[in-house]
């Protein structure tokens, strides 16, 4: 592997898989903490104290998006949609909580900004070949080809 050559498709797909698993597990753990440690009531209370509007709705909503979005990202299932969802939660977290605490941890934008950048990378690039999205895409492409054959055959016979 050269430092200056463009990566191969396999290297890109491997990098996307690594990114997906790390980002997905991070959100599974954060969402799981909100769901199973703090519970909806605890998350609602925390969101209220942070000044997030409609905490009774957004607290549980964010917990579910992070947990199930993390699972979807890890598996590479509906990756772009899941990454958009968790990325949106990071934008809100940055703007409402972390920005006023500066850049560095603890409390600053450093960590949520990294998560946002990772999520946006998956929104842009997709899941890669080592994902359920790729399996579904192959099946759909195969069905499209299979479904076209009878139409072509009917057209040939009609001519």
């Amino acid at each position: 592997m050269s430092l200056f050559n463009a990566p191969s498709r396999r290297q890109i797909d491997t990098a996307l898989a690594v990114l997906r698993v790390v980002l997905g597990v991070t959100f599974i753990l954060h969402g799981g903490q909100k769901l199973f440690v703090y519970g909806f009531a605890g998350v609602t209370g925390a969101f209220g104290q942070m000044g997030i509007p409609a905490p009774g709705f957004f607290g549980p909503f964010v917990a579910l998006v992070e947990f199930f979005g993390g699972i979807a990202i890890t598996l590479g299932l509906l990756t772009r949609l899941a990454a958009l969802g968790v990325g949106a939660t990071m934008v809100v977290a940055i703007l409402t909580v972390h920005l006023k605490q500066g850049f560095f941890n603890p409390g600053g934008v450093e960590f949520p900004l990294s998560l946002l950048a990772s999520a946006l990378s998956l929104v842009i690039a997709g899941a890669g070949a080592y994902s359920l999205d790729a399996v579904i895409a192959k099946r759909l492409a195969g069905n499209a080809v299979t479904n076209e054959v009878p139409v072509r055959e009917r057209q040939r016979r009609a001519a």
Side-chain angles (χ1 to χ4, degrees):
M1 173 171 59
S2 169
L3 291 176
F4 304 106
N5 289 343
S8 69
R9 185 71 228 177
R10 182 177 176 173
Q11 289 170 322
I12 292 170
D13 289 328
T14 301
L16 288 170
V18 169
L19 179 62
R20 273 195 0 260
V21 170
V22 172
L23 183 67
V25 168
T26 299
F27 275 106
I28 291 168
L29 295 174
H30 277 269
Q33 182 183 42
K34 287 176 179 75
L35 290 173
F36 306 119
V37 176
Y38 304 130
F40 285 157
V43 173
T44 297
F47 273 43
Q49 288 177 348
M50 290 184 272
I52 295 175
F57 172 77
F58 285 114
F61 180 74
V62 166
L64 293 169
V65 167
E66 288 182 356
F67 184 71
F68 289 108
I71 292 170
I73 289 168
T74 301
L75 297 173
L77 178 64
L78 301 173
T79 304
R80 285 187 164 110
L81 180 63
L84 186 63
V86 299
T89 68
M90 290 299 95
V91 168
V92 173
I94 288 167
L95 294 176
T96 60
V97 177
H98 298 280
L99 194 58
K100 59 189 160 211
Q101 297 182 47
F103 181 78
F104 297 103
N105 279 329
V109 298
E110 180 177 22
F111 181 62
L113 185 62
S114 297
L115 294 177
L116 173 60
S118 298
L120 287 177
S121 296
L122 291 175
V123 170
I124 294 165
Y130 310 129
S131 66
L132 291 177
D133 286 347
V135 171
I136 293 168
K138 281 182 188 175
R139 284 218 174 140
L140 291 175
N143 287 341
V145 170
T146 305
N147 291 336
E148 287 180 19
V149 172
V151 171
R152 288 184 188 147
E153 185 62 28
R154 283 193 301 262
Q155 290 171 344
R156 187 182 63 77
R157 289 181 186 168

